[in-house]
Every structure is written in C-alpha cells, then in structure tokens.
Amino acid sequence: GFLFYYVNRCDFNSTGLKDIEFTLSAYYNKLEIYRFSSSVGKFVGYTEYGVRQAKYFNDLPGEVARWTAEKETYCQHNIGNWYSNI
C-alpha cells in the first residue's frame, strides 16, 4: 500500500508571534512532496506532483490565509502548554 500523511510543526524561540514558524509538510511514501511555511508565506513543491499542488494551493488565497493563521491559532495557542512540560 501507499502512505500519504501530513506533519504540522511549530518552531519557536519564544512565545512572541514574530519568533514562531508554522510548517505543514505533505508526504507520500516517506518523500516530502510539498510544504507550507509561514515564514515563506506560500506552498513550495519538491516533486513534479508537489509543484502542481503548490501552484494550485497558492492560487487559492483562502488556502494560504488559512495556513498562515495556524501560526497564531495553533502554535501560539499551544506554546504555553509545551513550555510548561519542559
């Protein structure tokens, strides 16, 4: 069988919004096909299929805005929980 999955990641140095980066990566059979990074502000493709997908998502302003907002709604919201567990 084939395996397709997403990985969400928050990289941060402090709880300040400017120090947070949200990354969404899409994988197919352990190969990253495309990625969204809040610091880049768009999707980037790494395979032929991923480049087409990235272009499709980048042409949808709502999709880019949705994942850009995850930096605040997902990462910043949970950083307090992650810091308290360290």
Side-chain angles (χ1 to χ4, degrees):
F2 298 102
L3 183 62
F4 181 81
Y5 58 97
Y6 293 101
V7 175
N8 296 337
R9 188 175 75 220
C10 298
D11 296 317
F12 56 93
N13 294 327
S14 72
T15 58
L17 196 57
K18 65 178 179 53
D19 294 328
I20 301 171
E21 179 184 10
F22 172 79
T23 305
L24 165 76
S25 297
Y27 291 88
Y28 181 74
N29 283 350
K30 300 181 184 179
L31 177 66
E32 185 174 23
I33 54 176
Y34 63 86
R35 173 187 295 181
F36 174 81
S37 172
S38 64
S39 64
V40 176
K42 66 178 186 175
F43 288 86
V44 177
Y46 296 106
T47 65
E48 184 179 339
Y49 173 74
V51 169
R52 288 194 314 265
Q53 286 296 104
K55 181 181 179 339
Y56 173 76
F57 289 132
N58 287 330
D59 289 342
L60 298 172
E63 195 69 16
V64 172
R66 171 187 172 206
W67 292 109
T68 301
E70 288 296 307
K71 176 176 159 178
E72 185 174 356
T73 58
Y74 176 69
C75 295
Q76 190 175 34
H77 173 75
N78 287 306
I79 284 176
N81 297 332
W82 296 328
Y83 263 133
S84 68
N85 291 327
I86 296 177

